[in-house]
Amino acid sequence: MNSNTRQTAFHVSRRSFLAATAALVPLAIASGSARKPNVIVILTDDQGSIDAPGFGATDLIMPNLDALGNRGVRFTQFYSAAPVCSPSRAGLLTGKYPLRAGMPNNAPDDETPLPTFAEQTTIADLFKRAGYATAHIGKWHLGMAPDCVPNARGFDYSFGHMNGCIDNYSHFFFWHGPNRHDLTRNGSEVHEDGAFFPDLMVKEATQFIEAHKDRPFFMYFAANAPHYPYQPDEKWLAKYADVPYPRNLYAAFLSTLDERIGRLLACVDACGLRGDTIIVYQSDNGHSMEERAHFGGGSAGAYRGAKFSLFEGGVRVPAIVSWPGHLPEAVTRSQVTHACDWMPTLAALCGIEAPTDIDGCDLSQVIQSAEARSPHNVLHWYVGTGENARWAVRKGDWKLLFKPQDTGLRDAPPIAGELFLVNLRDDICEQKNCAGAHPDVVRELVSLHDAWIKKAAPSD
């Protein structure tokens, strides 16, 4: 949109402005008057709800992420699709709630079939069909069956590890059983012994950008930080030497990641592509309190819970979208937004038709105006299977959790009762269970969940 168009749009009514803005970019692209924008989706791993510049933390050195937010829109009430890795990633890539996408749990670390996920249309499929070059760089963790790996899910190019985590230097996966080397390029094992994995990610990503700078590309840059093992650069450990353990390790790893993000964006700038590139940033879920994460380091601020929890600290995450010259800059949006929204939103901005059977909504109007209504009145979360299944539903300010867990506290006592109701407007810390005082609200939200689960559960 040129300056004359912006000046004209400024004088029309607010409603007309929103409608016009949402329509102008795809129209220009479809008519051939503008280059189709590139897209880079940066997904971080186990980053706390407030652990980013502009989201609440004041003790972190992350100048590159701060600059990205200052050239874009920060979402302060953004939700991941799940409080754990694989389901969260499935929601982002398919635009569907993880249960509908066939990924209610973390993916297995072998070639176990995942038929429902394998049949989904991914955002990479969408962009590939539209003529984009597509790349996955980094962590996958969405199955190792032949029809689930990145090259089978819409990505022309793939480099990274297939399981949940690796040592950043040996590239071995070590959750259980014998250690296994886990580093592949387009499905073939590669060895880069001793090379720091975040550096390898940047190297692969910059090579892909430089090779495709003359045609539109879609890149899914799925970092494995600050997920354990915390392996930051020595210089960042020195910077945080006075910060208490384990915050010092976690913060140093975040700053290490921020520096690599800076290098990635510097490549975009060097290729003259910043104005032609939409950049999305999001964490997959809240921070980890696991033993291998030194029982913490990250922060959810005032929010209760952490990774694995359906309290806010497990699913409310930092998120940014930036497209300088096309989208607002240095602004925040407090509307309820969700990871499944990226597929339809990016499709709309790029003039691509999104699938109609998804759960995500186009955020174009929210991006343009702080006064636009959230497209979500009701949100659902569901993780696990059988007796281990937990779920939550939010409608307006009311949120109901089934089998809630407070993973934000080490050795937290079990929470009494299976149903936990909270009004987020009055109790953002989710400390008071209002279920007994508002049985009518509980019944309504249970009914919403029951109706949703009947439609969402995969037939297989």
Side-chain angles (χ1 to χ4, degrees), residues 42-52 54-55 65 74-84 88 92 250 281-287 299-300 303 306-307 309 311-320 333 335 337-340 342 381:
I42 301 172
L43 185 69
T44 61
D45 201 354
D46 293 3
Q47 184 175 359
S49 302
I50 70 165
D51 284 334
F55 291 89
L65 186 56
R74 291 180 173 95
F75 297 93
T76 61
Q77 197 171 185
F78 188 96
Y79 288 101
S80 64
V84 65
S88 175
L92 186 155
Y250 171 90
Y281 181 97
Q282 181 205 319
S283 173
D284 65 342
N285 46 248
H287 66 286
S299 177
Y303 307 126
K307 181 180 180 181
S309 175
F311 284 121
E312 295 289 283
V315 290
R316 187 183 287 221
V317 294
I320 297 169
R333 299 289 181 256
Q335 296 97 319
T337 44
H338 190 271
C340 288
W342 289 130
W381 293 269

Side-chain angles (χ1 to χ4, degrees), residues 1 6 21 25 275-276 323-329 368:
M1 189 185 298
R6 284 197 295 269
T21 304
V25 171
D276 293 315
W323 188 14
H326 301 267
L327 301 180
E329 300 184 31
Q368 292 295 339

Side-chain angles (χ1 to χ4, degrees), residues 121-190:
T121 295
T122 70
I123 192 169
D125 288 319
L126 202 64
F127 277 84
K128 184 174 182 177
R129 292 169 189 169
Y132 279 63
T134 58
H136 151 259
I137 307 292
K139 175 175 173 175
W140 182 240
H141 205 192
L142 286 167
M144 297 179 65
D147 55 0
C148 290
V149 295
N151 295 117
R153 308 305 309 125
F155 292 100
D156 299 317
Y157 189 84
S158 171
F159 173 84
H161 60 95
M162 296 295 101
N163 282 301
C165 66
I166 57 171
D167 176 86
N168 285 286
Y169 295 95
S170 69
H171 317 130
F172 272 74
F173 170 71
F174 51 84
W175 269 356
H176 55 76
N179 290 348
R180 287 183 286 155
H181 183 258
D182 184 4
L183 188 64
T184 63
R185 182 182 291 111
N186 295 325
S188 297
E189 186 174 15
V190 294

Side-chain angles (χ1 to χ4, degrees), residues 31 49 55 67 115 119 146 153 231 238 298 340 367 371 378 390 438:
S31 67
S49 302
F55 291 89
E119 68 184 16
R153 308 305 309 125
Q231 293 175 303
C340 288
I367 290 170
E371 297 182 20
V378 178
R390 294 176 290 116
H438 297 278

Side-chain angles (χ1 to χ4, degrees), residues 386-430:
E387 294 183 356
N388 295 321
R390 294 176 290 116
W391 54 263
V393 57
R394 175 176 175 174
K395 180 181 180 183
D397 292 320
W398 288 108
K399 179 180 171 187
L400 182 69
L401 297 87
F402 175 71
K403 294 185 177 180
Q405 294 177 311
D406 186 357
T407 57
L409 296 173
R410 186 176 177 184
D411 300 322
I415 298 172
E418 286 193 331
L419 293 172
F420 191 102
L421 178 70
V422 63
N423 187 294
L424 294 172
R425 179 190 59 205
D426 301 330
D427 182 15
I428 194 61
C429 301
E430 296 180 290

